[in-house]
Amino acid sequence: QRLGPHVDDTLCTLLWATGPGLEVLAPVVDDWTGEDVARVGLPTMGPMPRAPAADDWAVVALPPDCLLLNPGHAWARCAATSAAVPLRAATLHRVVLGGEERLSLPLLV
């Protein structure tokens, strides 16, 4: 089971988790555009979005007591934040459920 591929439509998400489960898009062939990422990760009208391949995902290994900052779609759209820390697109990610017990606390800002 998993929470499907998506981008957070927020400025950012702060994430604390006790174990693995988060995966990010890390394609073998880096020809993804920001528009490709947004069309997969956000509800849109129009043609079907591009589908990531099974090997396009990388596991995020969070060290103990780590707080992860995940830039969202609003970050990429905001002139002030994108000028300070430029992004091609928000982070397309998914969460794999199962395996060991995992606690996670996302704070969407």
Side-chain angles (χ1 to χ4, degrees):
Q1 289 186 2
R2 67 174 47 109
L3 178 60
H6 65 283
V7 297
D8 298 332
D9 195 25
T10 58
L11 186 62
C12 65
T13 301
L14 296 172
L15 175 68
W16 174 86
T18 60
L22 180 65
E23 296 181 343
V24 295
L25 180 68
V28 175
V29 178
D30 188 18
D31 62 347
W32 281 72
T33 65
E35 184 178 315
D36 289 335
V37 170
R39 293 194 64 227
V40 171
L42 294 171
T44 59
M45 299 296 289
M48 289 296 291
R50 184 175 177 180
D55 60 350
D56 282 344
W57 297 98
V59 174
V60 176
L62 296 174
D65 298 324
C66 173
L67 189 61
L68 177 75
L69 173 72
N70 181 21
H73 190 62
W75 185 300
R77 292 188 324 245
C78 178
T81 54
S82 63
V85 181
L87 296 176
R88 186 167 57 175
T91 307
L92 183 61
H93 59 284
R94 66 185 186 181
V95 179
V96 176
L97 307 172
E100 65 186 67
E101 181 175 276
R102 175 181 183 263
L103 301 175
S104 66
L105 180 63
L107 174 64
L108 298 123
V109 179

